[in-house]
Amino acid sequence: MSFARFILFLSLFVSGCITAGGHSREANPLLATEGEQPDTAVARAVDAVGRKDFDTARQHLSRTLAEAPTDARALFVQACVFLEQGALKEAADVVRRLRDVAPTSLEGPVLEALTERRATHPTENWRDAFRAAWEKAGRPLFKDRGLLSGMTTWKKMEDSLEGAWARTARVEVRLLLAFAGFNPDEASRRWLSIHLDDVQDPGLLRSALEYFASDANARDPRESLRTRLRRFADQEPTEMQRALLLLVEPHPPDVPLTEEELRELERIAALPDYRPTPTSTLYAEAERLLRSAGVEPREGGAFSAMVQELGLQGPFLLLKIVKASEPTLSNDHRMRLGRALWSLGERIAAESTLVERMVGWNMRREGAMLLGDSERLTRAKRDFEAGHAVIRTTQQLELDAWPIPSLQEAMLAASVEDEWTHLSAFSTP
């Protein structure tokens, strides 16, 4: 997933959580398009850089610059290619030309600082080098995409996902293709729903239940999925993520929780961890399945699938139930629900992704309001606003648009390992 798409995904997810407590797949930006860029020599060079075919990229750029020596976008990409290959003198020369022809560009100072940083810290992680360079360049935010426009290659991966769907009949792989961003038509979704009985992995089964949570057009596989997941839940009752989904997924959103359901929610809220599987494991498995289907490039798709598997449908449905039933709550139920929401929010906010942090902090905020606890409410609002500050900053950094493969790999690795730590570092002076 491109970072811009993830931010849109996050914004819609959190917005749904705040306003309605629900999530609509129709709003999922994985199904959106970014628009096709014109087929220019620079666009072909960017595509070649994404494939690490630097010889082809240099050929396209050389021809462009021979005809138009002041083409700023071609100079920008050429400097990135030299940086990637460690040709720092050549990169510095091109960056100087770029600064001359585009003196107001924000990308030029960052590239200049990055070139200098690579010269003085050659073994430094690319992500850390970029952050240091960005700091030195004055922490610019790219509100106007400028030279970074057209540098992502999401459309290439979408085409690869579609081709992979046609090549494979393994339901696990096709399910991951849908999670990765392939938009199945009605017949394809029906095929998925019919073949879910062949899925054995309990994590994929839970993700499938979330994926088909509100699908009125396909054969409804939800009861079968719930039955199979309950067997796993009986064997492993301490898995919070699955237990919460099974509690709220079939529950009518406008009906308050019963006493028995509230006790089960309190039991779930007391469990120590929300998500049992690390993001690194989710990503590695998604990447493996996409590789088996021949998806290239697959890194963005694997990240998209990882996000889809975070298991946040349960928290959203719970908040929807709470919001709809709040006027009918007794004081005892209100207090018990408030404590449960606060505890659940703490567990979710302890996870590593930005969207989990935001969802967890929002749930803590809802719990504090039910409790009427001003101190907790202040803490929850403070954390939630800190998350929004990270979103505002990183949304305008265009971290996925810099055509430097080593930098992209370092950014992706940092996101998979601990996205909150990775992104919040750019928001903190």
Side-chain angles (χ1 to χ4, degrees), residues 399-421:
L399 295 176
D400 62 333
W402 293 78
I404 306 174
S406 292
L407 175 61
Q408 292 306 314
E409 291 165 4
M411 293 288 189
L412 177 62
S415 288
V416 170
E417 180 181 359
D418 188 334
E419 186 183 49
W420 170 254
T421 298

Side-chain angles (χ1 to χ4, degrees), residues 146-423:
L147 299 179
L148 295 169
S149 178
M151 296 295 165
T152 56
T153 56
W154 176 260
K155 184 63 170 65
K156 298 288 183 182
M157 197 194 72
E158 286 181 327
D159 292 342
S160 184
L161 294 174
E162 184 174 356
W165 181 281
R167 290 192 301 271
T168 185
R170 287 181 58 196
V171 64
E172 295 91 348
V173 177
R174 283 190 164 185
L175 194 58
L176 256 294
L177 292 171
F179 293 170
F182 173 68
N183 185 16
D185 57 21
E186 184 176 347
S188 298
R189 290 176 73 83
R190 188 181 306 114
W191 185 95
L192 267 182
S193 68
I194 290 171
H195 289 83
L196 286 175
D197 288 345
D198 296 333
V199 176
Q200 301 301 315
D201 180 86
L204 281 182
L205 289 174
R206 180 195 46 74
S207 298
L209 180 57
E210 294 194 337
Y211 181 79
F212 285 98
S214 302
D215 194 342
N217 296 319
R219 166 185 171 270
D220 190 349
R222 288 173 293 173
E223 187 51 48
S224 173
L225 287 168
R226 284 194 293 266
T227 298
R228 295 177 67 192
L229 283 170
R230 286 190 192 104
R231 296 193 194 107
F232 288 109
D234 290 342
Q235 297 167 10
E236 298 175 289
T238 60
E239 186 178 313
M240 179 186 286
Q241 195 179 41
R242 181 171 55 216
L244 180 59
L245 181 64
L246 288 173
L247 174 65
V248 299
E249 196 277 333
H251 193 287
D254 56 347
V255 177
L257 295 173
T258 65
E259 175 63 27
E260 181 181 3
E261 290 169 333
L262 181 53
R263 284 198 299 270
E264 171 63 3
L265 178 63
E266 290 172 321
R267 182 194 74 82
I268 294 169
L271 296 173
D273 296 305
Y274 176 67
R275 173 164 48 82
T277 307
T279 48
S280 57
T281 301
L282 293 174
Y283 177 84
E285 179 62 9
E287 201 269 345
R288 183 186 69 82
L289 289 174
L290 294 182
R291 185 195 305 115
S292 74
V295 175
E296 290 291 348
R298 58 181 173 272
E299 292 80 10
F303 190 82
S304 295
M306 183 197 81
V307 172
Q308 175 65 39
E309 293 184 79
L310 290 178
L312 292 170
Q313 185 78 2
F316 288 164
L317 292 175
L318 174 61
L319 283 183
K320 192 172 184 179
I321 294 168
V322 171
K323 283 181 174 292
S325 61
E326 189 173 349
T328 69
L329 295 174
S330 68
N331 186 62
D332 176 61
H333 275 205
R334 181 183 298 273
M335 293 298 102
R336 290 168 66 188
L337 269 175
R339 287 191 292 270
L341 290 185
W342 181 269
S343 295
L344 281 167
E346 284 195 320
R347 304 301 188 275
I348 298 169
E351 299 296 347
S352 63
T353 68
L354 179 55
V355 68
E356 287 170 311
R357 298 265 175 155
M358 295 297 288
V359 169
W361 289 328
N362 183 63
M363 184 166 282
R364 286 199 315 171
R365 184 174 62 177
E366 297 295 325
M369 287 192 290
L370 285 174
L371 291 168
D373 189 323
S374 59
E375 190 274 332
R376 288 188 181 187
L377 183 59
T378 298
R379 286 167 53 197
K381 286 182 175 179
R382 180 195 63 210
D383 290 340
F384 196 73
E385 283 306 311
H388 269 298
V390 171
I391 293 173
R392 285 192 296 270
T393 298
T394 52
Q395 188 174 15
Q396 298 176 63
L397 274 176
E398 298 291 348
L399 295 176
D400 62 333
W402 293 78
I404 306 174
S406 292
L407 175 61
Q408 292 306 314
E409 291 165 4
M411 293 288 189
L412 177 62
S415 288
V416 170
E417 180 181 359
D418 188 334
E419 186 183 49
W420 170 254
T421 298
H422 162 50
L423 295 181

